[in-house]
Amino acid sequence: MRSINGLIRYLLFFLSHSLVMNKSMDQKNHTRNIAIIIGNDCTNSDLSKCGEGNIKAPEIGQLAAKGLTLNKAFGCVAIACMTVLLFNTREVSAQSGHPNVVLIFIDDMGYGDLSCFGNQVIQTPHIDGLAKRGIRFTNFYVNSPICSPSRAALLTGKYPMSWKIHSYIERREENERRGMNDWLDADAPTLAKVFKENGYRTGHFGKWHLGGGRDVGDAPLPSTYGFDRSLVSFEGLGNRILFRNDRLSEASSKLGNGPVTWVEKHESTKIYVDSALNFIQENPSDPFYVHLFPNDVHDPHLPVTGAVEKYQGMARSASEARFFAVLEDLDEQIGRFIGSLDEMGKLDNTIIVFTSDNGPTDWPRYYRDGEYPPGFTGGFLGRKWSLYEGGIRMPFIVSWPKKIPEGMTDSQTVMSAVDLMPSLMRLADLQGVPNGDGEDRSQAMLGTPLTDHRPIMWEYGSAQGGSILPGHDKNVSPNLAILDKGWKLLINADSSRAELYHIDEDPFESKNRVNDKGELARKLAAKVLDWRRRYAVPLIE
């Protein structure tokens, strides 16, 4: 790209001295085209951000306003060169470098919360637009039905029990009681570390919950795990935003270890989006790996004043109306982020992955108050804190313009969060992929469905001290599960309460087949029980 930029500058210099005025040109379009060709952080609205050594904004404006006609000697050659460069800049950039990668990981979004995944109450047009520009996967699973272990699996490509993280990271006393670490091992291989080692700038903006918060003030910062820049919330350290009138934010403010900014919760996603975009714009020529991890869909839902009224007639409760208002704002902010990438000329060379960390909330208080918890599972049994489908099966969208088919739905490929590390490494053509528990699913992410997969296994609540249980009895699942060739077995670690479902035929887990498929149930049970015994985390008594 340096040689191309040098040629462009020479051509511009030549044109400014060898060309004569003749024809008026549209200033806005011309300055935008030159800005794109130069390849730095110039935009129509703010040409003053052009980098040093390039032609300055006033000079570009003068050239565009006056218009130019080539002299006979060199005009045709110059026009040809500039036309080729103009229409092939993005292609050259994509071919000469690696694609950018963005992971959008929503907190507590259910499978059916997006209109492109079946929400018939409200629309999410911006996220739906992302699905229209890419592939919608209907068989994607996270590796835990709760935040911290789900995030650990996504980031490391390994089952979260590998890191002694099997529930949410709490106070030190509670972590010790449950046989959990206070934070993710600082030596853990991570997506951010691998991307950084391959020349990417890396940023995390949003919920962290892999160490830091409550009474844990000495956890490693996100930079330890490979991030050049981070902005987290109350369940993390370093630069962070805290929510007013929030108990956990108050606790975080006393820990130090990073600057704190107090905001309203409804402002958080906008701040994360702005921070991510600023990070990307700072070095526009570098490839980036960015996490955008909003946490406003996690209850309590606190939308901006006045946003709830429009939903009061369609919601089943006041809680659900607040949730709808928050979901609408989330969709708008995601749309703004994607639109900004497009305006920057980054979208065509950016892989965007969109999913959620676990199913929607299921606190007992909703049922006590006579309400149905906000958030949709698409009809699947179970919610957050459950190994039934509603707790672990998530909406999943991947987009990469001109590389991934548009408007496709893949209902064959089965994959989980630990597969993202090898898959994204392959898509980005990176070296140094760590050994993990996932498998490369890049072929499916490029549009060719896959029919086979490794067995996927889950654990939740089998360790000493247990974990949070769903608020409704019907959502309380056994504490182990395995999915293999369409068959899903759930069983407790003490071998009790075995349940077997053919997920392809019975996705709502309504017909337990353990009695008529006894031999299969025993084989799957042996696999998942042996898998659980490999981890040095004591079982629940």
Side-chain angles (χ1 to χ4, degrees):
M1 290 302 295
R2 289 182 179 177
S3 60
I4 293 175
N5 285 343
L7 175 58
I8 295 167
R9 294 189 185 104
Y10 174 80
L11 286 172
L12 290 172
F13 175 83
F14 175 81
L15 288 170
S16 66
H17 289 78
S18 303
L19 305 179
V20 295
M21 314 296 186
N22 186 21
K23 184 179 180 182
S24 177
M25 302 171 66
D26 179 81
Q27 179 175 358
K28 182 177 181 181
N29 288 338
H30 187 70
T31 53
R32 174 60 176 164
N33 292 343
I34 294 177
I36 292 174
I37 293 173
I38 293 175
N40 55 58
D41 199 17
C42 303
T43 65
N44 287 336
S45 61
D46 190 2
L47 288 172
S48 64
K49 292 182 179 179
C50 295
E52 292 184 6
N54 296 315
I55 191 166
K56 297 297 185 291
E59 296 172 331
I60 296 176
Q62 292 164 11
L63 292 174
K66 295 176 180 177
L68 303 170
T69 300
L70 298 176
N71 62 25
K72 295 181 180 180
F74 301 100
C76 293
V77 175
I79 284 180
C81 290
M82 292 189 71
T83 301
V84 169
L85 288 169
L86 173 61
F87 289 102
N88 289 280
T89 299
R90 289 185 179 182
E91 183 177 352
V92 170
S93 178
Q95 291 175 350
S96 62
H98 298 294
N100 309 305
V101 177
V102 174
L103 294 188
I104 304 176
F105 205 44
I106 310 299
D107 198 9
D108 287 12
M109 173 174 279
Y111 182 92
D113 284 337
L114 303 174
S115 47
C116 61
F117 276 83
N119 190 334
Q120 298 180 4
V121 182
I122 72 167
Q123 298 295 305
T124 51
H126 299 290
I127 301 173
D128 290 1
L130 183 67
K132 290 176 183 177
R133 292 190 294 272
I135 305 177
R136 189 177 66 97
F137 288 82
T138 64
N139 294 310
F140 175 81
Y141 294 89
V142 287
N143 299 106
S144 177
I146 196 170
C147 45
S148 297
S150 180
R151 292 160 190 274
L154 178 82
L155 189 59
T156 68
K158 293 181 70 67
Y159 286 125
M161 289 288 281
S162 305
W163 314 112
K164 290 189 176 181
I165 297 177
H166 49 81
S167 184
Y168 72 105
I169 295 177
E170 241 272 22
R171 293 175 292 111
R172 294 180 188 274
E173 181 181 357
E174 278 297 296
N175 294 335
E176 182 178 5
R177 184 180 69 84
R178 296 174 298 160
M180 280 185 51
N181 287 338
D182 290 330
W183 55 73
L184 177 64
D185 188 338
D187 294 325
T190 68
L191 278 161
K193 288 179 181 178
V194 174
F195 274 98
K196 186 172 182 177
E197 289 166 358
N198 281 272
Y200 280 68
R201 297 182 68 242
T202 56
H204 176 98
F205 306 94
K207 181 171 179 176
W208 180 246
H209 213 169
L210 291 172
R214 294 172 171 85
D215 64 349
V216 181
D218 56 345
L221 302 182
S223 58
T224 303
Y225 303 95
F227 291 100
D228 296 315
R229 181 82 55 79
S230 66
L231 178 66
V232 300
S233 60
F234 54 84
E235 289 165 323
L237 298 174
N239 192 13
R240 56 195 185 275
I241 57 176
L242 301 179
F243 307 145
R244 297 186 179 96
N245 304 311
D246 177 76
R247 176 178 57 86
L248 294 177
S249 291
E250 290 287 348
S252 174
S253 69
K254 299 174 183 177
L255 297 175
N257 211 342
V260 164
T261 302
W262 289 94
V263 303
E264 300 296 336
K265 189 179 182 185
H266 66 76
E267 299 174 303
S268 60
T269 298
K270 180 181 185 301
I271 293 171
Y272 294 143
V273 167
D274 288 343
S275 299
L277 292 173
N278 289 338
F279 173 76
I280 292 168
Q281 289 175 317
E282 285 175 7
N283 292 278
S285 62
D286 295 337
F288 56 83
Y289 171 79
V290 164
H291 284 184
L292 184 58
F293 284 25
N295 52 351
D296 48 357
V297 176
H298 188 299
D299 53 4
H301 303 116
L302 303 173
V304 64
T305 302
V308 177
E309 284 72 12
K310 65 185 290 187
Y311 296 110
Q312 289 177 341
M314 64 182 73
R316 294 171 293 185
S317 66
S319 296
E320 189 170 73
R322 290 192 294 272
F323 168 72
F324 287 160
V326 167
L327 186 59
E328 178 187 42
D329 181 69
L330 172 73
D331 180 68
E332 291 177 355
Q333 294 300 329
I334 296 299
R336 187 169 66 87
F337 176 77
I338 296 170
S340 296
L341 289 182
D342 195 20
E343 290 174 4
M344 285 189 268
K346 299 289 187 183
L347 188 61
D348 283 354
N349 195 35
T350 299
I351 301 168
I352 300 178
V353 173
F354 179 101
T355 189
S356 171
D357 67 343
N358 48 248
T361 184
D362 203 45
W363 287 113
R365 66 173 179 267
Y366 292 109
Y367 301 101
R368 288 198 304 265
D369 295 342
E371 296 184 339
Y372 193 79
F376 301 115
T377 66
F380 294 131
L381 179 62
R383 298 175 69 88
K384 186 177 182 178
W385 312 309
S386 174
L387 294 180
Y388 292 127
E389 295 290 282
I392 54 177
R393 191 164 172 173
M394 296 296 107
F396 187 89
I397 300 167
V398 60
S399 171
W400 187 9
K402 302 179 182 178
K403 299 287 186 178
I404 288 177
E406 293 187 355
M408 177 177 170
T409 295
D410 185 339
S411 297
Q412 298 183 54
T413 304
V414 174
M415 64 174 154
S416 74
V418 293
D419 297 330
L420 287 182
M421 178 175 280
S423 302
L424 291 174
M425 298 298 100
R426 176 62 65 87
L427 290 175
D429 192 24
L430 302 188
Q431 303 299 315
V433 181
N435 293 325
D437 294 314
E439 58 181 328
D440 177 15
R441 314 302 272 169
S442 60
Q443 184 178 348
M445 295 172 76
L446 287 171
T448 302
L450 301 172
T451 57
D452 61 338
H453 66 91
R454 292 180 186 174
I456 304 172
M457 287 172 269
W458 292 268
E459 179 281 336
Y460 180 70
S462 75
Q464 66 179 28
S467 192
I468 302 173
L469 293 177
H472 198 293
D473 290 345
K474 71 176 184 179
N475 295 326
V476 179
S477 69
N479 54 39
L480 300 177
I482 178 173
L483 178 64
D484 190 13
K485 297 180 176 65
W487 288 95
K488 180 181 176 184
L489 178 92
L490 300 100
I491 192 171
N492 283 327
D494 63 3
S495 299
S496 64
R497 199 185 162 191
E499 301 176 18
L500 180 67
Y501 305 98
H502 195 289
I503 294 300
D504 294 341
E505 299 174 356
D506 181 23
F508 305 119
E509 297 169 293
S510 61
K511 186 178 180 181
N512 187 355
R513 304 286 299 278
V514 73
N515 290 327
D516 61 297
K517 292 288 184 180
E519 182 62 25
L520 175 61
R522 284 188 288 273
K523 288 181 179 179
L524 292 175
K527 282 185 180 181
V528 73
L529 290 169
D530 177 67
W531 170 79
R532 175 61 181 87
R533 285 191 287 266
R534 298 176 197 171
Y535 297 106
V537 178
L539 292 169
I540 191 170
E541 297 179 359

